[in-house]
Amino acid sequence: ARGELNAGVGAFAECSASLRRAGNLTDALSTTMVVADMLVPLGRLREAAAAYEAALSEALERCGGGQPTADLHAGLSELLRERDLLTAAVDQLAESEALGEAAHSHEHRYRWFVAMARAKEAEGHFDAAYELLSKAEQHYRRGFFPESRPIGGLKARVRIAQGRLPEAMVWVIDQDLSAVGELSYLREFGHI
């Protein structure tokens, strides 16, 4: 799976360059989110954060805070939370929201709710986290990319943290996950 992810990172770098040459800066910057999603499981958090910071800087400079600036703030927030920089993560989400609804893309709007939910979860506010994840589900638009961290799995993790194992188990059963099931990258999050 590592080889496939590394190849995917390279392919999206080429895609981003091609989009830039075609004059499609918004889509070129949006590829940052996909690349970061691939870098994280490879353990390349700093590289993912650097990609977000560079894209965010370019978006602010060239897009004037329009799309995909708010989505990039939300993505960077997730990485900061992963690095236990919770205050900085929440600050990124506040900057994202301050840009207004028009600065969020329909495809990636759910990411803000996921990032805020993960911040609330880190603060121990599990009910708020679960509610935000439910809102993320409402905003989620299935795209071309596989769901490597399904929102339902994040909700199950919140229920586990709350000690509400039967509720978490519903998602596990719905996904047909078991301790003896075949492991794959796309189902890794659920198995963990």
Side-chain angles (χ1 to χ4, degrees):
R2 279 186 164 295
E4 291 171 355
L5 284 174
N6 280 317
V9 170
F12 271 95
E14 290 176 28
C15 177
S16 179
S18 180
L19 288 165
R20 283 179 197 295
R21 285 191 299 275
N24 193 340
L25 182 61
T26 299
D27 285 343
L29 292 171
S30 291
T31 62
T32 304
M33 291 172 266
V34 179
V35 170
D37 285 348
M38 289 187 268
L39 290 171
V40 169
L42 291 169
R44 296 163 57 183
L45 297 178
R46 284 196 173 96
E47 189 176 339
Y52 269 122
E53 288 165 357
L56 193 51
S57 177
E58 186 174 6
L60 289 169
E61 179 183 313
R62 296 186 56 198
C63 301
Q67 285 186 18
T69 311
D71 300 327
L72 294 168
H73 276 295
L76 181 56
S77 171
E78 271 279 277
L79 290 173
L80 292 167
R81 188 206 42 80
E82 281 289 329
R83 294 174 55 200
D84 204 25
L85 300 170
L86 195 53
T87 300
V90 172
D91 289 347
Q92 287 294 320
L93 292 171
E95 287 187 49
S96 175
E97 282 300 279
L99 292 169
E101 193 64 35
H104 293 274
S105 69
H106 293 293
E107 183 179 17
H108 297 288
R109 179 63 170 132
Y110 78 96
R111 289 177 180 264
W112 186 93
F113 292 96
V114 169
M116 183 59 86
R118 303 290 309 275
K120 292 293 183 189
E121 182 182 5
E123 294 171 338
H125 302 295
F126 300 115
D127 288 334
Y130 194 86
E131 185 177 319
L132 285 160
L133 289 170
S134 294
K135 287 181 181 177
E137 284 179 322
Q138 294 169 8
H139 287 277
Y140 181 76
R141 304 289 176 263
R142 184 145 176 81
F144 297 106
F145 304 108
E147 296 176 71
S148 57
R149 288 185 326 154
I151 297 169
L154 293 168
K155 290 172 78 174
R157 287 179 178 204
V158 169
R159 291 302 190 219
I160 290 168
Q162 291 176 306
R164 295 166 72 171
L165 301 181
E167 292 175 57
M169 196 63 178
V170 169
W171 182 81
V172 171
I173 292 167
D174 285 348
Q175 299 303 304
D176 197 29
L177 295 170
S178 73
V180 295
E182 186 175 330
L183 297 178
S184 70
Y185 168 69
L186 291 179
R187 295 171 57 89
E188 177 182 22
F189 188 78
H191 277 99
I192 291 171

